[in-house]
């Protein structure tokens, strides 16, 4: 999927992909995208932590560290590294561009790059996929994570490049921390679940 989306990120101006995605809307999509875009704020994080309580202790530790690291990265990216990256709202209002506003979504004007919601979605759902190890579950979680990123562009909260970067950062944070912790903590204590089901 990353290979499929990358040409759109590289070849088209960010405003073009924004207007294309935001322009294809419907009342049903508005409701679906509103709820999907809100999930990474807390639901995904709580879900993966609760699930990890029933996995090995080293997995729980990996989940906690990965989610904390993704949160730290979001703050650093938005406030220190890329503080002057404006969100679509800044461009849309500044140029008097007509766009579709999803009801209930409060649009922000700065802190665009990368998408924090997408980092959280890909990090948390990748961790669930690693815990599950079932291909069909991993595929389903990947689709949900992609929909979460898509919803950010649909709602005109982010550009496609913000979402793409967030997906890459979130997935690789999850992958690196999960691999590091599951390969490093091999004693029986770390191999047992915190809560036995």
């Amino acid at each position: 999927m990353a290979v499929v989306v990358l040409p759109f990120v590289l070849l088209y101006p960010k405003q073009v992909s924004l207007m294309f995605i935001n322009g294809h809307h419907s009342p049903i999509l508005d409701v679906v995208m509103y709820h999907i875009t809100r999930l990474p704020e807390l639901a995904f994080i709580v879900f993966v932590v609760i699930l990890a309580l029933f996995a090995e202790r080293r997995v729980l530790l990996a989940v906690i560290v990965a989610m904390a690291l993704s949160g730290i990265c979001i703050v650093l990216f938005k406030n220190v590294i890329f503080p002057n990256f404006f969100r679509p709202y800044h461009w849309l209002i500044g140029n008097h561009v007509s766009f579709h506003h999803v009801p209930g979504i409060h649009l922000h004007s700065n802190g665009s790059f990368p998408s924090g919601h997408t980092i959280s979605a890909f990090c948390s759902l990748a961790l669930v996929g690693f815990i599950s190890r079932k291909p069909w579950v991993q595929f389903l979680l990947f689709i949900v994570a992609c929909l979460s990123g898509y919803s950010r562009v649909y709602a005109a909260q982010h550009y496609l490049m913000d979402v793409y970067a967030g997906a890459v950062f979130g997935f690789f944070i999850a992958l690196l921390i999960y691999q590091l912790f599951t390969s490093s903590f091999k004693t029986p204590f770390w191999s047992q679940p915190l809560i036995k089901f």
Side-chain angles (χ1 to χ4, degrees), residues 27-195:
I28 293 173
L29 271 178
D30 282 358
V31 173
V32 171
M33 292 298 143
Y34 171 81
H35 290 291
I36 288 177
T37 202
R38 301 296 300 269
L39 286 174
E41 291 174 6
L42 189 59
F44 289 162
I45 298 167
V46 170
F47 174 67
V48 70
V49 171
I50 290 173
L51 181 65
L53 291 171
F54 299 94
E56 298 172 351
R57 286 186 174 102
R58 60 187 174 182
V59 171
L60 174 61
L61 185 60
V63 164
I64 292 168
V65 170
M67 295 311 300
L69 184 59
S70 69
I72 292 167
C73 285
I74 291 168
V75 171
L76 286 176
F77 284 138
K78 290 179 177 288
N79 298 313
V80 179
I81 302 172
F82 304 110
N84 297 319
F85 275 61
F86 292 106
R87 292 191 189 222
Y89 184 71
H90 184 267
W91 173 75
L92 292 165
I93 296 302
N95 292 284
H96 307 288
V97 177
S98 177
F99 70 102
H100 176 66
H101 180 248
V102 177
I105 299 290
H106 175 70
L107 296 174
H108 302 282
S109 60
N110 60 356
S112 186
F113 188 86
S115 167
H117 279 71
T118 310
I119 290 175
S120 294
F122 271 82
C123 185
S124 58
L125 295 177
L127 289 165
V128 175
F130 298 150
I131 293 168
S132 167
R133 297 181 184 157
K134 294 180 181 176
W136 70 269
V137 172
Q138 293 173 338
F139 178 75
L140 182 62
L141 293 168
F142 175 71
I143 295 300
V144 173
C146 288
L147 284 173
S148 179
Y150 180 87
S151 73
R152 302 304 287 168
V153 184
Y154 179 91
Q157 282 283 40
H158 285 284
Y159 293 109
L160 186 59
M161 70 173 191
D162 305 334
V163 167
Y164 185 84
V168 171
F169 286 131
F171 177 79
F172 280 106
I173 289 170
L175 179 64
L176 292 173
I177 298 299
Y178 184 85
Q179 292 292 339
L180 177 66
F181 280 66
T182 55
S183 63
S184 300
F185 296 88
K186 294 185 176 181
T187 62
F189 172 81
W190 290 106
S191 300
Q192 297 300 314
L194 190 65
I195 299 174

